[in-house]
Amino acid sequence: MNITRENIDELNAVVKVDIAKEDYAGKVDKILKDYRKNANIPGFRKGHVPMGMVKKQYGQAVLVDEVNKLLQDSLNKYLTEEKLDVLGNPLPKEQENFDWDRENYSFEFELGLAPEFNVDLDLKDPVRKYNIVADEKMVNDQVESIQKQYGKLKTKDVVEEGDTVAGTFKNEEEGIENDTTIELAAIKGKRNLGKFVGAKVGDTLTLKTKNLFEDEHALVNHLSIDQEKANDLDVEVEFTISEINERELADLDQELFDKLFGKDKVTSVTELKDKIKEDAAKQFQQQSDQQLMNDITEKLIENTNFELPKDFLQKWIQTVGEKPLTDEEAAEEYEKSEKGLRYQLIEGKVVNDNDLSVDFNDLKAFASEKIKEQMAQFGQMDPSEKELDDIAARILSNQDEVKRLSEQLMNEKLLKFYKEKMKFDEKEVTYEEFVKAIYK
């Protein structure tokens, strides 16, 4: 067997694999002899079928199968030994009138090669890094929300601002009939709110769905409709009041603190607010980190220039799906996936150049931390090492979970590396300012 490579350019190559009869003949003969031993052909005793008949019936199928196995194994071995960084998979070049009756064969494969490039983390235009803080208004709102959640409901006859109103939405033409409970603080605009204030149990209010709630997604739950319908819904609905309640705020006392955080973990309103800030900071950190990673990704793609074997990749895309794609479909699919491929190559370069690997011990420790976090949500604050090890072992026996956790851990390692090596344009913002900046 002989394998040679012709480099067309820096991104494309053709590999030629020459297979001679001696490369496959022994294996084919052995398989055909085994077939002969076990063949059941009318008119012949088992094991006494003429070899010529066996070859005529099975010979070419066995030959094709063995040559293809040999071809695939030798090509994979060659790519590994030559340390060729290929994109996609090798594509066999078509050969017209291929003749399996010959003894020696030649096959050619097109290769798309990964480009050579460097990743510069010292960007002229630094990435914006948001440091989100919980402002006084957010903390006070959260305190009030806790008081409402743990407060008592007091039934009333007449609606006032701040009340909770239960009732039924109806619109026969749209097929809407749904029982729901509305916090009046969620109603948008003084005009809508004014229709509720002063109303009594049994009253029916006529409301317009458009701009009824502060949260535009609230219609989905309150009317029990899907999001697509809610997006364009602009009709009148009737709301018949069945119950009116005023929520008395819970006292900010030790009983409430113990219920929220455990006995004597928080002992004052000041400590409660500090705890809210601490918890908010953790939540905000996750969101700001995710946004930072997204922005770093975009910047690195924008600032790391290299060519890709576009024609090869489009040709490869045509072959990898359940059904072949047209040239136009493959070009469209390539455009969709090009940015992701570029960052995949950039990420691989950063990982390899800086030894950011994930080993089993890293993965096990990471899985254990995730398990502890989940158990804490259900009040199990101090699981034993054996308990954690047993759960982690079950999770890591699932290859899909191993892949998912490996990707999460690598993402964390990459972000930590970027934070250490890159310069950022840091800005302290409230959560509201962060949302406005990201979704402007």
Side-chain angles (χ1 to χ4, degrees), residues 186-384:
I187 296 296
K188 185 174 183 178
K190 291 182 179 179
R191 184 173 180 178
N192 287 326
L193 185 60
K195 292 185 178 184
F196 283 90
V197 173
K200 300 177 181 179
V201 172
D203 286 353
T204 297
L205 313 179
T206 299
L207 305 163
K208 285 201 168 187
T209 55
K210 190 172 181 63
N211 295 322
L212 178 57
F213 294 101
E214 291 286 354
D215 181 356
E216 60 185 18
H217 302 294
L219 280 179
V220 172
N221 295 324
H222 288 305
L223 301 188
S224 189
I225 58 177
D226 60 43
Q227 186 63 60
E228 186 176 351
K229 183 173 182 177
N231 290 338
D232 302 317
L233 192 64
D234 185 8
V235 298
E236 287 189 344
V237 288
E238 291 185 342
F239 182 76
T240 302
I241 299 173
S242 60
E243 189 176 344
I244 304 166
N245 291 297
E246 176 185 6
R247 188 172 290 278
E248 294 181 343
L249 299 182
D251 292 332
L252 296 173
D253 55 19
Q254 194 59 47
E255 181 182 354
L256 178 61
F257 301 152
D258 290 348
K259 189 180 294 184
L260 290 170
F261 306 107
K263 186 167 178 58
D264 296 332
K265 295 286 180 66
V266 170
T267 58
S268 67
V269 174
T270 300
E271 290 182 9
L272 170 64
K273 291 184 175 182
D274 289 342
K275 181 66 174 172
I276 290 172
K277 286 182 180 179
E278 179 185 331
D279 291 344
K282 291 178 183 177
Q283 181 182 349
F284 293 156
Q285 189 65 54
Q286 291 178 349
Q287 291 178 275
S288 63
D289 278 351
Q290 183 59 59
Q291 187 57 45
L292 179 61
M293 193 64 173
N294 292 343
D295 291 341
I296 290 172
T297 299
E298 291 292 332
K299 280 286 187 183
L300 290 179
I301 293 173
E302 180 184 329
N303 287 274
T304 308
N305 297 314
F306 52 82
E307 294 297 320
L308 290 170
K310 181 177 178 179
D311 291 342
F312 169 85
L313 289 170
Q314 288 185 182
K315 192 185 296 185
W316 173 69
I317 287 171
Q318 287 183 278
T319 68
V320 294
E322 292 183 3
K323 62 178 184 178
L325 301 181
T326 65
D327 290 346
E328 293 76 14
E329 289 170 335
E332 183 178 343
E333 195 62 33
Y334 174 79
E335 292 300 323
K336 291 179 185 176
S337 59
E338 182 185 3
K339 182 181 283 189
L341 175 57
R342 285 184 177 278
Y343 183 67
Q344 187 179 337
L345 291 171
I346 292 169
E347 181 182 291
K349 178 74 171 171
V350 173
V351 168
N352 291 331
D353 287 355
N354 298 281
D355 297 323
L356 301 178
S357 58
V358 171
D359 61 29
F360 181 77
N361 289 331
D362 290 337
L363 197 58
K364 182 181 176 183
F366 183 69
S368 295
E369 282 303 311
K370 292 297 180 184
I371 294 165
K372 284 173 69 175
E373 290 173 8
Q374 290 184 344
M375 293 178 77
Q377 293 176 3
F378 295 96
Q380 295 175 265
M381 307 303 292
D382 191 24
S384 67

Side-chain angles (χ1 to χ4, degrees), residues 404-420:
R404 184 180 66 83
L405 289 170
S406 297
E407 288 173 353
Q408 286 185 14
L409 178 54
M410 179 53 72
N411 199 61
E412 287 193 8
K413 286 195 170 195
L414 277 166
L415 184 58
K416 182 174 183 290
F417 174 78
Y418 290 145
K419 284 182 175 180
E420 291 171 352

Side-chain angles (χ1 to χ4, degrees), residues 84-149:
L84 291 177
D85 191 1
V86 300
L87 302 179
N89 294 315
L91 290 177
K93 296 185 74 171
E94 290 187 16
Q95 299 185 54
E96 293 184 6
N97 304 317
F98 188 85
D99 184 8
W100 283 103
D101 290 331
R102 292 179 301 177
E103 294 184 343
N104 300 323
Y105 309 102
S106 290
F107 302 90
E108 291 186 335
F109 293 86
E110 296 178 63
L111 303 182
L113 305 177
E116 293 286 339
F117 61 92
N118 293 312
V119 180
D120 186 2
L121 300 180
D122 186 16
L123 303 177
K124 294 180 181 178
D125 184 16
V127 176
R128 169 63 57 85
K129 182 175 182 289
Y130 293 99
N131 299 317
I132 310 172
V133 295
D135 60 352
E136 187 175 353
K137 180 181 182 302
M138 174 174 279
V139 173
N140 290 336
D141 287 347
Q142 184 62 28
V143 170
E144 185 176 343
S145 176
I146 290 170
Q147 288 181 279
K148 285 181 178 179
Q149 182 181 349

